[in-house]
Amino acid sequence: MGEETERISINFTKDVNQDEAIMAQEREIEREIAETNPLIGPKCDLALLQKEYAEDDLIYQQKVNDLRSKYSYVRKMRPDGNCFFRAFTFAYLESLLHDKQEYKRFKEIASKTKDDLVSLGFSQFTIEDFHDTFMDVLGKIEQQMTVEDLLSIFNDQGSSDYIVVYMRLITSGYLQKEEAFFSNFIEGERTVKEFCHQEVEPMYKESDHIHVIALTLALGVGVRVQYMDRGEGGHVNNHDFPEDKTPRIHLLYRPGHYDILY
């Protein structure tokens, strides 16, 4: 019995050491990504994308050329699983800097979101700080904030993450409010609430169609997503969310990642 216990103990120690090594490696990768990529990068000429693919990679080179016929600039996001929420919110708030009418519409919606979430069962204590941070940023837009000021807020990890958390909560709230509809799109034996707890609310979880649909419907903001993948044809396919709204912002999707297009 003593030998068996010792063997189990050695195996357990090996497993623990291996887990610790994997976690340390993941932390190192995250640190390198953070050091080399700002949360939101500067506006760059779209030609930058061409340099990311080999010259003889005809599928992607043709698709970059197709994109360049429609857009001039790209703003890249840090690939940290939050890129959709960060890209969507920055691009939309940036569009509000010069649109007082849309700003007024949105501020009314945003101010009600906290009460809407509380009515759905979210704890007011939990969501208050995130809501306050978001409304503070909205208030600064009204005071003639510049793009540089907005970029500075979004590149501050604390403020930026609070905004992302709040967008995740709004998305989760809308999915749960429209549970009868969205339950048809959730794979596996999960409820909408379980899906939200596992895939929507936690930071660093990547976004899928369902996240995009819910957030754009919740806020009434039109988004066009350009999908760039290995599909044949030389053209980038796009999809508008919601389908009945004129796109106000444009995002580039490459498998697992979103950036902003201009």
Side-chain angles (χ1 to χ4, degrees), residues 13 60 75 82 106 114 160 200 240 255:
T13 305
Y60 271 121
R75 197 188 285 277
N82 295 316
F106 181 69
K114 182 175 77 172
S160 199
V200 182
D240 293 347

Side-chain angles (χ1 to χ4, degrees), residues 64-240:
V64 174
N65 282 332
D66 183 41
L67 269 183
R68 289 183 74 184
S69 70
K70 305 166 191 166
Y71 300 95
S72 303
Y73 301 100
V74 62
R75 197 188 285 277
K76 301 185 79 178
M77 304 291 114
R78 183 184 292 175
D80 62 358
N82 295 316
C83 53
F84 163 68
F85 289 101
R86 224 181 298 270
F88 169 88
T89 316
F90 179 86
Y92 179 60
L93 294 187
E94 184 182 22
S95 80
L96 296 184
L97 294 174
H98 308 292
D99 190 336
K100 287 183 179 174
Q101 192 175 343
E102 176 69 3
Y103 173 84
K104 190 179 171 191
R105 180 200 74 85
F106 181 69
K107 191 176 179 186
E108 268 184 44
I109 288 174
S111 62
K112 291 176 189 166
T113 51
K114 182 175 77 172
D115 292 339
D116 290 345
L117 288 170
V118 171
S119 73
L120 288 163
F122 288 81
S123 156
Q124 182 162 336
F125 177 76
T126 305
I127 63 178
E128 201 137 38
D129 284 352
F130 302 115
H131 177 259
D132 289 350
T133 298
F134 187 66
M135 294 309 292
D136 279 350
V137 176
L138 266 191
K140 286 174 182 168
I141 289 175
E142 205 165 9
Q143 298 157 17
Q144 304 302 300
M145 179 197 275
T146 65
V147 176
E148 289 70 27
D149 293 333
L150 189 63
L151 198 55
S152 176
I153 289 169
F154 270 81
N155 272 318
D156 172 80
Q157 187 87 49
S159 306
S160 199
D161 284 355
Y162 262 51
I163 291 167
V164 168
V165 167
Y166 199 60
M167 291 299 109
R168 286 182 175 278
L169 290 170
I170 289 172
T171 304
S172 174
Y174 192 83
L175 286 166
Q176 291 180 60
K177 184 178 146 199
E178 302 295 335
E179 180 178 8
F181 173 73
F182 285 108
S183 60
N184 300 309
F185 302 97
I186 291 172
E187 294 174 356
E189 297 298 312
R190 289 186 286 185
T191 64
V192 170
K193 195 163 195 168
E194 286 168 342
F195 175 80
C196 288
H197 288 336
Q198 294 163 12
E199 306 294 340
V200 182
E201 293 166 22
M203 290 289 276
Y204 312 113
K205 281 283 188 178
E206 288 183 7
S207 301
D208 210 336
H209 271 162
I210 196 167
H211 301 69
V212 184
I213 294 166
L215 186 59
T216 54
L217 283 170
L219 300 179
V221 177
V223 177
R224 175 165 292 168
V225 179
Q226 298 282 352
Y227 291 92
M228 195 160 154
D229 54 29
R230 283 252 164 237
E232 298 285 344
H235 295 288
V236 179
N237 295 315
N238 64 64
H239 193 86
D240 293 347

